[in-house]
Amino acid sequence: MIEVRGLVKAFGLLPVLRGLNLSVERGAFVALLGPNGSGKTTLMRILAALSKPTAGTVTIGGWRLPEEAAAVRAQLGVVAHQPLLYDGLTARENLEFYARLYSLSRENRAARVDEVLARVGLAARADDLVRTFSRGMQQRLAIARAILHRPHVLLFDEPYTGLDQDAAAMLDALLGDIARDGHTIVMTSHDLFRARALSTHVAILSRGQIGYYERSAAIQPQELPALYAEVTGAASVR
Amino acid sequence: MTLVDSPARPSRLLTGMTILAVVMFVAATLMALFYAPTDQQGHVQRIFYMHLGAFMGGALAFLIGAVASALYLARRQKRWDTLALSAIEIGLVLSGFNIVSGAVWARPIWNTWWTWDPRLTSAAVMWLTYAAYMMLRNGIEDPDRRARFGGVYGIVAFTSVIFTTVITRVRPDTIHPVVVGPSPQNAQGSFEINSSAMTVTLVFNIVTYVILALTLIWHRVRLEELAERVQQIKVRMFSR
Amino acid sequence: MTMTETAQSTSQQTAAPRALKTPFWRAMIALAAKDLRIEVRGRELINAMLLFAALSVLIFSFALELDRTARETSIAGVLWVTVVFAGMLGLGRSLAAEKDRGNLDALLLAPVDRAALFFGKMLSNLLFMLVVALLLVVLSTVLFNVSLFKPWLGLVIVLGTVGFATVGTLLSSMAVHTRARETMLPILLLPVSLPIILSAVRASTAILTGAPQEDWIAWPQLLFAADLILLALAYVLFDFVVEE
């Protein structure tokens, strides 16, 4: 579903991604791990067609980036660490606005908005201003926004940022539920155990490349910290 | 490809141009001061040769800046951005000299350093527009974005300057004399180019300032590329 | 990827990307409607702009001691300076609101023509400016007893605000990415919008003093030309502002 070949991204003279290769099959849930500055967010922004690669090829669902960006965008849902919502609008108004941007037809719009609101457990608060929502509720609404247009691929960039335990547990359940829909998912995270538990594959980013890629089931949870330190350790020396 | 042939020393062509520019600049100034005849305005009229020369050099630099901005956006090659920045900096220097020399001339002729005449205003606005361009660049950290925004603003600024210039030509109420071509009705301090010595001096001054502008821009580009090279070496040293 | 694979993937799905894109007008209207809805609910921006405009007119009337004759010749200048400054107040806030919570990214994630995003934003900015201008027209008529309700003046106000909103939206979308953006916006915007402000003031003054039409008709024509050029420039250049 996602094919990345020889991806290079440099900011000015500083290369962040150095010839990165990644192949994600349809329906996989990849947890992307790596220390700060390893290029996780940069990679996510390129996959989301927000940033152009310096070199290399990226295809998502057969569409090439950046040439066919519009087609990629239409089948992509993104949740970032910021909720990307408008404070001054209600939950429903936020979703309706995005539904219009994704050209959902007028008839389907209201029904689909109700459906995703129920899905993330916000049906009761649909007509309250987002300003009054807790951080966890905002993040759930952000997920509703991301799945609104039934995208094939979901990108989650640190979705757990700023959530308390209860909200995080709720997000766990929600992500597990969404993963069962057959979306292809890439999620960046700092939480090794949570990432392994949710995902089907674990990828560790190091020195601007994928330093490790394995099925989650093949990794013992207790081995993960040592493995992570080993893969990224080489990078932290520099 | 860079314009720098050897990192330490300028190319032979640039050295030649530099010598030519300096010699011509001295000659042009001497011509304006001694060769050209005095007219009824007295010696102060001699400023005119440098005044128009600096304007032409500045205008050419801004034109290069606009073209380079557009080329950067189209091609995304760093060197076009470097050229745009360099040209606009040199344009600021020359058009600044144009404004100051105009003020020096205006003091005895119009009896004031400055007046809110449309032509003077448009020259001042041109200078301020490009000063804003420099401010914009200084306000952005990311080099990629700095170049992109510089390109966009470079094009918008040039369009606006052209428009302002057109507007000031539409207005008949300027007091600024036009020496080449018909002067406006209420122009004050007009004079005529009525001897071949004056014409020769004027043409020579304009050519000199054009060559001066090009030479300075080239030097500025080289400086920027050398600074970049230093940066590159630094990055390579630290990322080892 | 090999050549044949590339050829296959493009031949299979050639026409599709266009169809997947949200229509230009729909995206543009959706964005402008969203801004209006937030504004109708909170009225944060428009209240600040209107209050600023009213204060500015009062301060001008003290500072310039607008007597009967001075009014006719300087009221247009007061009007436009106020619209420009109130407009900048709105422009800065409107784009900062998109940038600060990352909403600009969310807009860019949508399968929408970048230009549609620009024109949606420009449309809402324009509407706010027109509301301010309308208030000023009413206010000046009441306070200075100079009737500003003239069809030609209305046209000049629309032409002037269209040009200013266009270049203002373009430049404020750059200014939000700079350090000290509140000071950056006026520095970038004022010199570049001078042709528009100048033509609009000249035209308005001539209309208000009742000069014959052939004396000033060139100004609205210039304004119209400036608007067209700026709209075309913004259409082309906005892509370069938002893409990384």
Side-chain angles (χ1 to χ4, degrees), chain B residues 198-224:
Chain B
M198 281 173 115
T199 314
V200 169
T201 310
L202 179 61
V203 171
F204 191 77
N205 265 273
I206 290 173
V207 173
T208 301
Y209 277 88
V210 163
I211 290 176
L212 186 70
L214 294 176
T215 313
L216 287 173
I217 292 170
W218 195 346
H219 275 292
R220 184 64 187 82
V221 167
R222 224 179 73 83
L223 179 67
E224 191 70 19

Side-chain angles (χ1 to χ4, degrees), chain C residues 88-104:
Chain C
M88 277 196 299
L89 212 61
L91 285 168
R93 287 280 294 278
S94 138
L95 272 118
E98 299 287 356
K99 163 114 198 310
D100 287 347
R101 306 207 64 211
N103 286 324
L104 199 57

Side-chain angles (χ1 to χ4, degrees), chain B residues 173-185:
Chain B
D173 51 351
T174 181
I175 61 169
H176 190 289
V178 176
V179 177
V180 183
S183 208
Q185 273 182 353

